[in-house]
Amino acid sequence: MDNSLNGRKALVTGGASGIGAACARALAARGAKVVVADVDASGAAALADELGGTAWTVDLLDTDALGTLSLDCDILVNNAGIQKVAPIEEFNPADFRRIMALMVEVPFLLIRAALPHMYANGFGRIINISSVHGLRASAYKSAYVSAKHGLEGLSKVTALEGGEHGVTSNCINPGYVRTPLVERQIADQARVHGIPEAEVLAKVMLTEAAIKRLVEPAEVGSLAAWMASDDAGMVTGASYTMDGGWSAK
């Protein structure tokens, strides 16, 4: 049994489902005590019970409340995210601001809240769930692509500031992952591309990848658990692609 994270406390945002839940399970399996943070109270509680962790029901878009937050976690996984697919000229500015807040401002506020504890202990792992869209652009995703590019920059600055304190900061950059977030995109992708929903995977989501399948959440969770370990102590400021070769082009 791998108990490499025994004694570590992890916080996973958007932890009740999808990639967040996979990360929470992978960290708990290696001995970490996991806080599952999600707006979905019942989902967070159910997973926390399964893992022997705790649930934090939180609306992360209430950013004012995060400004005075103090976190005592050793591992922070910034995973919470939303998506909106539309041409720029039709993109609702309120949706753009909401995506930027949740996926750039919130990670900044949580990192800010966690660093004092990490610095004091000489250990910390910031794991930012980015995307291939943090490295490559796609049409109709102006807010999501902008937010993920912003998260990449935040992660690198955190790496530079945290290095002397034993804190690493990295991004995981998956392609399309088999999650509810991706499933909810299918109708929007079909609409903007003018194709049937049944053709979205083959004609939109997987066209750029050499490996023609969705990423499984557990694959992302496995990489996150390694990044949290002592074995990854010299890995910082990096962006690890898990995109089936999409970014190789």
Side-chain angles (χ1 to χ4, degrees):
M1 181 178 294
D2 181 354
N3 293 317
S4 58
L5 299 180
N6 272 355
R8 304 296 189 194
K9 183 177 180 181
L11 170 64
V12 182
T13 68
S17 65
I19 292 173
C23 289
R25 288 190 173 100
L27 294 168
R30 289 158 178 80
K33 291 295 183 182
V34 180
V35 177
V36 181
D38 206 290
V39 71
D40 175 6
S42 60
L47 184 59
D49 287 346
E50 173 192 325
L51 302 179
T54 57
W56 178 26
T57 303
V58 58
D59 179 2
L60 293 173
L61 283 169
D62 182 7
T63 53
D64 288 343
L66 302 181
T68 57
L69 189 66
S70 178
L71 295 174
D72 63 353
C73 60
D74 307 298
I75 302 160
L76 171 62
V77 181
N78 285 310
N79 166 71
I82 51 179
Q83 179 62 281
K84 173 73 175 180
V85 179
I88 292 173
E89 70 275 16
E90 298 175 11
F91 212 102
N92 188 321
D95 289 333
F96 190 96
R97 287 190 292 268
R98 191 161 64 103
I99 289 172
M100 294 296 289
L102 182 60
M103 294 163 56
V104 182
E105 184 180 359
V106 167
F108 159 74
L109 291 170
L110 295 179
I111 291 169
R112 179 176 180 270
L115 284 181
H117 170 83
M118 293 179 176
Y119 285 1
N121 289 337
F123 177 91
R125 297 288 187 265
I126 308 294
I127 301 167
N128 300 299
I129 306 302
S130 182
S131 165
V132 66
H133 285 115
L135 307 173
R136 299 287 188 273
S138 288
Y140 311 120
K141 293 187 175 182
S142 55
Y144 190 86
V145 170
S146 297
K148 292 302 188 183
H149 274 67
L151 183 62
E152 295 282 328
L154 174 63
S155 182
K156 291 174 183 177
V157 172
T158 306
L160 295 178
E161 294 187 12
E164 65 182 291
H165 303 284
V167 176
T168 66
S169 176
N170 294 288
C171 288
I172 298 177
N173 301 70
Y176 287 103
V177 184
R178 194 183 303 279
T179 65
L181 182 69
V182 167
E183 291 169 358
R184 286 193 294 268
Q185 288 184 52
I186 291 177
D188 286 341
Q189 291 278 17
R191 177 180 57 80
V192 297
H193 288 280
I195 60 175
E197 290 186 19
E199 297 179 7
V200 167
L201 269 182
K203 292 189 175 180
V204 178
M205 292 183 170
L206 300 180
T207 55
E208 300 296 330
I211 300 173
K212 303 297 185 183
R213 69 168 176 85
L214 297 175
V215 182
E216 296 298 332
E219 293 175 306
V220 183
S222 177
L223 180 52
W226 176 77
M227 283 184 171
S229 72
D230 290 340
D231 288 340
M234 278 298 288
V235 177
T236 196
S239 299
Y240 272 59
T241 55
M242 185 180 282
D243 61 8
W246 180 340
S247 57
K249 294 184 177 180

